[in-house]
Amino acid sequence: MLLRGVLLALQALQLAGALDLPAGSCAFEESTCSFDSVLAFLPWILNEEGHYIYVDTSFGKQGEKAVLLSSDLQAEEWSCLRLVYQITTSSESLSDPSQLNLYMRFEDESFDRLLWSAKEPSDSWLIASLDLQNSSKKFKILIEGVLGQGNTASIALFEIKMTTGYCIECDFEENHLCGFVNRWNPNVNWFVGGGSIRNVHSILPQDHTFKSELGHYMYVDSVYVKHFQEVAQLISPLTTAPMAGCLSFYYQIQQGNDNVFSLYTRDVAGLYEEIWKADRPGNAAWNLAEVEFNAPYPMEVIFEVAFNGPKGGYVALDDISFSPVHCQNQTELLFSVVEASCNFEQDLCNFYQDKEGPGWTRVKVKPNMYRAGDHTTGLGYYLLANTKFTSQPGYIGRLYGPSLPGNLQYCLRFHYAIYGFLKMSDTLAVYIFEENHVVQEKIWSVLESPRGVWMQAEITFKKPMPTKVVFMSLCKSFWDCGLVALDDITIQLGSCSSSEKLPPPPGECTFEQDECTFTQEKRNRSSWHRRRGETPTSYTGPKGDHTTGVGYYMYIEASHMVYGQKARLLSRPLRGVSGKHCLTFFYHMYGGELAYSEESLLWRRRGEQSISWLRALIEYSCERQHQIIFEAIRGVSIRSDIAIDDIKFQAGPCGEMEDTTQQSSGHSEDLNEIEY
């Protein structure tokens, strides 16, 4: 019986240890748990006394990597991954510090998704909190440390912990405070209260979590306030996945005191928005607050206490939680990105126009030297306002978008092309109409842009009342009219600049910043070149890139090559996985030959295709490591320039989209070849 009792006790300890360290977690006390160093890179070293692992310049050189890979994980419920880390460097190498990156590797994707990256040096341990959306797919966590410049560069990991729940939630019972941080103020700050920490100035008899004096909470006290309007801020971790629902917390405010307790959101651009304010002191007990919280893009929540008088008193906070359903007093419908966007391939979606004038017409044209095809595929539909047919000058077409809820920030993006006008300014304008159509405000208009080129416009706006976006085409003079084209309208929540702060999507490249992960076998005049604007040889290449009209693309310059000469652009090695993959890209060809291949030829085009950017869709499968190769072959004429842009790899089949080429990895015959 005694032995049985010992075994049961050991099992209980093991179970407790398992509960302390959920799957995907490690405290690095005696081992790296279920994490392993990838042998192709530098090893992560376990400190002799335990407690952390590290890599530094005594084991590797600048630019070398150490990669840590977890076992298979699953997050069927929303989870929070916390990483306690430190990056150190010497003062003379601050220009090129070490970097720590965290990726997710899904079992059906060839690319790893970058979730988070940091390179700020620190003298202390830092905490990163990352929300993992619930999914039925298995994945691995990949942590990559890249050594920077200097003899003392190092990266260390103290703890990895993956738990069910949202990163924004906290009961303040653990030492790391869930990644919440106090913004330091010399006179007033947030402190941990309860437990063994007692403060005679603002003692609470019990916390809310355990309802005892041993539990912990956060509090602000005015005892050290020296000036009016002193502010204390408690800042949450940055959200890393879209979330919307009800944020709740408990608070106490000392009655009869001069303070203001507010809750703000702050996006990556630094824009504050107040979403809640305590309207009354409440009672001496804990009060529940429920706030509708919408974070479609990364943002922080900030609990702020401002003292406005000599009797500031204290404010206490505990048990922050989140639910993905609306608060009880909220019935607001969620904004739908799909309903507010349109590429006009099937119809006008939820857009409509008034009855005045000929208005906008949904058209499909064969691209020619006078008219490019649509922006979506090159061969699809777009909207056209033909002001040549109007009998009098003035607004000839109003295109209304769907109703947008008020008090939200929106990013509007669309593509437009202008033809035939002598004076381009104000030929296309965007207005914001309130729901009653009485108040209107112009938020954008054309100034000058290249004619006949699909240009991207993006506008950030926010209005307190429900509004509609309205596109207006304008012919100022009977003698100066032309064509205005419109395509690919998208409306998303958040500032347009917010997406610039996010990690780039895996497997996508627009060539706006660089060549991404693509490489070339050789670099000379006959290689692929990154360029913006028109190509050097007239009447050969595109007038602008496909992404924005004024951005970058890759192309070959036929005048620098001889007939039959090849230029190859190679992707980085891709992980082989089961199932279908879809590759999309846009190409522009006046001649020559463009092929997409690995060991087998999957797709090919020859000769002049169009003056427009055309979309290619290729569906393929490959269960072993492979590379994608874009091969351009110079044709007979110097007009054989070939350009590519906006490459995108996606897991899964291409779906029911035209021009899809299917090919298994074991076949080599050429499918869907078109010759001119």
Side-chain angles (χ1 to χ4, degrees):
M1 288 297 293
L2 180 61
L3 180 60
R4 178 179 174 83
V6 171
L7 288 174
L8 287 173
L10 287 172
Q11 288 173 351
L13 286 172
Q14 289 172 345
L15 179 60
L19 292 174
D20 288 339
L21 287 176
S25 305
C26 192
F28 304 112
E29 291 294 335
E30 297 177 351
S31 69
T32 58
C33 309
S34 61
F35 290 83
D36 294 311
S37 291
V38 178
L39 296 178
F41 303 96
L42 296 174
W44 287 92
I45 309 298
L46 182 66
N47 183 42
E48 292 182 0
E49 299 177 359
H51 306 306
Y52 64 89
I53 59 173
Y54 68 96
V55 60
D56 61 25
T57 46
S58 62
F59 296 95
K61 297 178 293 184
Q62 179 183 352
E64 289 192 289
K65 301 177 181 178
V67 178
L68 197 66
L69 190 63
S70 75
S71 58
D72 284 332
L73 302 171
Q74 203 158 6
E76 294 186 344
E77 296 181 71
W78 193 289
S79 300
C80 179
L81 180 70
R82 287 199 172 90
L83 189 69
V84 184
Y85 70 97
Q86 185 179 17
I87 299 173
T88 58
T89 187
S90 55
S91 58
E92 65 271 10
S93 58
L94 292 176
S95 60
D96 190 10
S98 299
Q99 186 163 329
L100 188 60
N101 304 315
L102 189 143
Y103 299 85
M104 286 185 76
R105 174 177 291 180
F106 284 97
E107 59 181 352
D108 63 342
E109 294 182 0
S110 298
F111 284 83
D112 299 328
R113 296 188 187 185
L114 178 63
L115 290 188
W116 170 86
S117 180
K119 55 184 179 182
E120 70 274 13
S122 171
D123 295 330
S124 59
W125 295 102
L126 302 176
I127 299 175
S129 301
L130 303 161
D131 285 296
L132 306 181
Q133 290 177 292
N134 49 310
S135 171
S136 59
K137 295 198 298 185
K138 289 183 179 179
F139 65 92
K140 296 178 187 288
I141 294 295
L142 188 148
I143 300 173
E144 175 188 75
V146 184
L147 289 174
Q149 185 182 7
N151 297 326
T152 59
S154 69
I155 305 168
L157 300 177
F158 183 79
E159 184 180 65
I160 302 169
K161 192 169 186 180
M162 192 172 100
T163 54
T164 301
Y166 297 82
C167 291
I168 206 170
E169 298 178 318
C170 196
D171 59 12
F172 303 109
E173 299 302 331
E174 296 188 62
N175 291 334
H176 54 60
L177 303 181
C178 315
F180 279 78
V181 294
N182 168 72
R183 194 193 76 173
W184 174 250
N185 183 322
N187 300 318
V188 59
N189 293 278
W190 285 91
F191 293 102
V192 179
S196 59
I197 302 172
R198 317 307 297 166
N199 188 308
V200 296
H201 300 290
S202 57
I203 185 170
L204 294 182
Q206 58 185 24
D207 80 320
H208 181 267
T209 313
F210 298 124
K211 296 179 173 57
S212 76
E213 62 179 12
L214 297 178
H216 296 88
Y217 54 89
M218 300 298 293
Y219 75 94
V220 180
D221 195 342
S222 65
V223 65
Y224 299 114
V225 170
K226 295 181 180 179
H227 309 284
F228 292 168
Q229 297 181 336
E230 291 278 15
V231 172
Q233 288 188 336
L234 184 67
I235 304 171
S236 78
L238 189 73
T239 61
T240 56
M243 52 194 289
C246 189
L247 181 70
S248 62
F249 53 92
Y250 287 86
Y251 69 97
Q252 282 193 40
I253 298 179
Q254 191 173 5
Q255 290 181 313
N257 291 291
D258 299 322
N259 58 51
V260 179
F261 182 31
S262 306
L263 183 61
Y264 293 88
T265 59
R266 182 174 65 186
D267 64 15
V268 291
L271 180 66
Y272 280 80
E273 180 180 353
E274 183 180 84
I275 59 174
W276 176 87
K277 180 186 289 185
D279 54 1
R280 58 185 184 277
N283 51 46
W286 288 99
N287 301 279
L288 172 64
E290 293 184 321
V291 185
E292 197 68 20
F293 177 63
N294 187 19
Y297 48 92
M299 62 172 56
E300 298 162 324
V301 168
I302 300 178
F303 293 88
E304 180 181 283
V305 178
F307 293 103
N308 297 322
K311 296 182 179 180
Y314 67 82
V315 175
L317 172 69
D318 204 1
D319 291 344
I320 302 168
S321 62
F322 177 80
S323 170
V325 298
H326 285 294
C327 300
Q328 294 181 0
N329 59 348
Q330 294 286 335
T331 58
E332 180 184 4
L333 295 176
L334 293 177
F335 168 75
S336 171
V337 172
V338 175
E339 292 180 1
S341 303
C342 194
N343 62 12
F344 305 108
E345 292 305 299
Q346 303 298 323
D347 50 35
L348 294 182
C349 308
N350 291 306
F351 287 77
Y352 66 94
Q353 54 187 326
D354 57 15
K355 303 301 181 182
E356 301 174 14
W360 296 86
T361 305
R362 182 171 162 266
V363 300
K364 180 179 183 179
V365 301
K366 184 176 182 179
N368 54 54
M369 64 183 299
Y370 303 106
R371 187 91 53 86
D374 80 315
H375 182 265
T376 314
T377 67
L379 298 172
Y381 289 86
Y382 60 94
L383 294 189
L384 186 67
N386 191 344
T387 63
K388 292 180 179 179
F389 296 152
T390 184
S391 59
Q392 59 185 13
Y395 289 112
I396 68 103
R398 292 181 176 88
L399 180 72
Y400 293 88
S403 179
L404 305 174
N407 206 32
L408 290 174
Q409 191 175 52
Y410 296 99
C411 174
L412 167 66
R413 291 188 176 95
F414 59 92
H415 284 82
Y416 67 93
I418 309 292
Y419 301 86
F421 290 91
L422 296 176
K423 295 181 179 179
M424 189 176 292
S425 63
D426 287 329
T427 53
L428 176 65
V430 180
Y431 287 77
I432 292 293
F433 271 28
E434 288 190 4
E435 285 292 77
N436 58 14
H437 288 189
V438 174
V439 180
Q440 65 178 19
E441 176 190 351
K442 184 164 72 172
I443 59 173
W444 179 91
S445 65
V446 173
L447 295 176
E448 286 295 330
S449 67
R451 286 169 171 76
V453 177
W454 282 110
M455 303 287 293
Q456 185 195 62
E458 58 178 30
I459 311 152
T460 299
F461 66 93
K462 179 181 179 181
K463 295 296 175 184
M465 301 296 292
T467 57
K468 292 183 178 180
V469 172
V470 183
F471 295 87
M472 294 187 183
S473 58
L474 172 64
C475 177
K476 292 181 180 179
S477 162
F478 179 80
W479 306 105
D480 186 13
C481 294
L483 307 177
V484 180
L486 189 63
D487 203 3
D488 293 345
I489 301 173
T490 62
I491 297 181
Q492 295 177 311
L493 286 169
S495 168
C496 294
S497 61
S498 296
S499 59
E500 298 172 2
K501 309 289 183 178
L502 298 175
E508 293 187 23
C509 188
T510 62
F511 302 108
E512 293 306 294
Q513 303 299 324
D514 50 35
E515 295 177 13
C516 308
T517 57
F518 287 91
T519 58
Q520 303 198 53
E521 293 176 334
K522 57 182 179 179
R523 287 186 180 274
N524 51 38
R525 296 183 70 197
S526 60
S527 305
W528 286 92
H529 303 280
R530 180 170 165 265
R531 185 178 177 85
R532 70 191 306 177
E534 296 187 21
T535 55
T537 306
S538 301
Y539 305 106
T540 56
K543 295 180 180 179
D545 78 317
H546 180 266
T547 316
T548 65
V550 292
Y552 289 87
Y553 56 89
M554 297 293 290
Y555 89 109
I556 64 161
E557 176 55 51
S559 61
H560 294 164
M561 304 169 69
V562 298
Y563 172 67
Q565 192 171 10
K566 299 178 180 179
R568 307 183 99 200
L569 190 67
L570 290 76
S571 76
R572 68 183 181 190
L574 305 178
R575 199 169 54 252
V577 295
S578 59
K580 296 288 187 180
H581 294 271
C582 182
L583 169 69
T584 67
F585 63 93
F586 285 82
Y587 63 97
H588 192 286
M589 292 179 63
Y590 271 100
E593 181 176 333
L594 176 63
Y596 158 96
S597 65
E598 203 258 318
E599 292 180 358
S600 57
L601 181 64
L602 300 184
W603 180 93
R604 182 166 64 188
R605 292 288 185 272
R606 288 176 176 168
E608 184 171 332
Q609 299 295 304
S610 169
I611 69 158
S612 291
W613 285 100
L614 300 178
R615 184 181 68 181
L617 295 165
I618 302 101
E619 191 172 282
Y620 76 100
S621 61
C622 188
E623 297 188 7
R624 61 184 185 274
Q625 189 180 72
H626 59 285
Q627 281 183 288
I628 299 302
I629 303 170
F630 291 89
E631 183 180 79
I633 305 174
R634 201 263 204 193
V636 176
S637 168
I638 63 168
R639 296 181 62 201
S640 301
D641 289 2
I642 297 172
I644 58 174
D645 201 5
D646 294 349
I647 300 171
K648 185 176 183 179
F649 291 87
Q650 291 177 292
C654 292
E656 296 181 359
M657 293 189 254
E658 67 275 11
D659 194 24
T660 302
T661 302
Q662 295 190 11
Q663 169 106 356
S664 68
S665 58
H667 292 185
S668 59
E669 57 262 13
D670 179 18
L671 299 183
N672 202 24
E673 179 181 331
I674 297 178
E675 296 189 26
Y676 291 92

